[in-house]
Amino acid sequence: MCVITAALMVAALCAVPASAASVKLNKTSVNLPIGYTTTLKVSGADSVKWSSKDSSIAKIKSSDGNTAKISGLKSGSTYIYAKVGNTTLKCKVTVKKSFISASSSNVSLAKGGSQTITLTVKGSKDIALSNSDKNVCTTKWGKWDGDKIKLTINAKNPGTSQIKIYTKKYSKSTAKTINVNVSGNNSADIEEEEEAIIFSNGEYVFIIEFEPSDGQNTGTALEPITAKEDTSANSSEIEKVVELVNKEREAVGASALKSDPKLNNIAALRAKEIVESFSHTRPDGSSCFTAFESAGITNVYMGENIAAGQRNASEVMDSWMNSAGHKANILSRDFTRIGVGFCKSNSGYGYYWVQVFTSEF
């Protein structure tokens, strides 16, 4: 941000230029859960006029000279302005429902089994949980690693339970729910199924896994695509997927998605990974969203669709559009960008596809 600054002194009714001073706002953008406050401060100035572009989203709770406390009221984005003389500084404030996310929102276990999930907490680490039925499962916290903490869920008896994780002071606005189902079967008889993953925006992003096709469908066979390979056939089919996505979005009045090179690289990486493990969990056991984080993409809406066995763009789009969860991602108005990856393998289902989505970053 380029800031033009000046300092004025008043003496004997005359305005006399003083030495140049640096007027800066301590934050140019900030994320707030509903109910949280943050403090903005202007350095290099004693008197500041504060204002909010939309006080229904974020309001100025109190101000004192060069500082102001900003409170998040409802989901959305707005600007807080700090005017110093003829200079206006601004901070973009994005208010969201929750900044607690989990690597899995649905946990299926056999009696006696356990699963460890990773929680990402943006904001206060003063968190707690409630367990609706401790006879079904118990929990154990791990240690903090930056903004992440592990939670182990131990299955005791058949049944269901809801685990809610929340920031103590703002339980209603930060609650993250994990649904736990415990069966009486042996763990070997249980097929784990992720029906939804929640990310740090606090909203559900449906990424239901599509069952691989039988490989009998017809179409043009494609070569593998990686971050370093991009044949004309691959480029054409990937562009066709984006084209078909935007055609579906246009039909429901949603804005077109922009193909993003960084997301294409993420999708290409994930396409190779699902050859090894057809899941939204990566081969190393982490959530698919860690691929976004490794690329420097955080605190935005994110989603992933995967499929296997379809040999061209039309077939895979037909499959995704006939699945409620995948269709929800494709048509979501929360997303503005898309990346598509494809990989061909001599084993498994042969053809592997990935779509990744984000809001602006």
Side-chain angles (χ1 to χ4, degrees), residues 84-310:
V84 181
N86 294 324
T87 300
T88 300
L89 309 176
K90 65 180 181 179
C91 174
K92 182 178 181 180
V93 179
T94 301
V95 181
K96 298 178 181 179
K97 181 180 178 182
S98 173
F99 278 77
I100 299 178
S101 64
S103 57
S104 180
S105 296
N106 296 278
V107 174
S108 295
L109 293 169
K111 180 179 178 180
S114 66
Q115 181 174 333
T116 299
I117 63 174
T118 300
L119 298 170
T120 302
V121 181
K122 302 294 185 181
S124 172
K125 292 183 178 179
D126 188 17
I127 62 174
L129 66 76
S130 63
N131 184 349
S132 66
D133 194 338
K134 294 181 180 179
N135 189 50
V136 171
C137 65
T138 58
T139 59
K140 182 178 180 180
W141 290 106
K143 294 182 179 180
W144 284 101
D145 181 10
D147 61 0
K148 300 182 186 300
I149 189 170
K150 293 186 181 300
L151 178 68
T152 300
I153 301 172
N154 299 302
K156 294 181 65 179
N157 295 295
T160 60
S161 180
Q162 279 194 336
I163 297 172
K164 291 187 177 182
I165 300 101
Y166 55 90
T167 302
K168 291 180 180 179
K169 189 176 179 181
Y170 305 100
S171 58
K172 291 183 179 180
S173 64
T174 61
K176 166 69 185 81
T177 301
I178 299 171
N179 299 303
V180 180
N181 179 65
V182 177
S183 74
N185 298 328
N186 293 327
S187 59
D189 297 328
I190 291 183
E191 181 178 354
E192 184 176 352
E193 180 177 312
E194 287 182 312
E195 292 188 350
I197 289 181
I198 194 169
F199 198 57
S200 60
N201 50 53
E203 301 293 338
Y204 283 104
V205 180
F206 293 99
I207 50 175
I208 302 171
E209 292 183 5
F210 177 75
E211 291 297 328
S213 69
D214 59 11
Q216 301 301 312
N217 39 3
T218 59
T220 304
L222 305 178
E223 294 302 317
I225 182 168
T226 67
K228 295 182 179 179
E229 297 175 338
D230 189 12
T231 68
S232 58
N234 285 327
S235 296
S236 175
E237 289 298 307
I238 285 175
E239 290 171 2
K240 183 68 178 296
V241 170
V242 177
E243 178 186 334
L244 292 173
V245 165
N246 285 330
K247 184 177 180 180
E248 296 289 351
R249 291 176 66 85
E250 181 182 6
V252 297
S255 300
L257 298 181
K258 179 182 178 182
S259 179
D260 187 274
K262 184 177 287 189
L263 295 185
N264 284 334
N265 285 337
I266 293 172
L269 171 63
R270 288 288 296 130
K272 291 198 297 183
E273 290 182 345
I274 65 172
V275 175
E276 180 179 347
S277 175
F278 186 76
S279 170
H280 297 296
T281 299
R282 304 178 71 184
D284 65 1
S286 64
S287 163
C288 62
F289 293 126
T290 60
F292 295 77
E293 295 172 359
S294 296
I297 302 173
T298 59
N299 293 332
V300 297
Y301 288 93
M302 300 179 182
E304 176 183 84
N305 285 344
I306 63 176
Q310 301 79 11

Side-chain angles (χ1 to χ4, degrees), residues 64-76:
D64 181 16
N66 64 342
T67 64
K69 287 187 176 181
I70 313 303
S71 177
L73 301 181
K74 70 176 185 180
S75 297

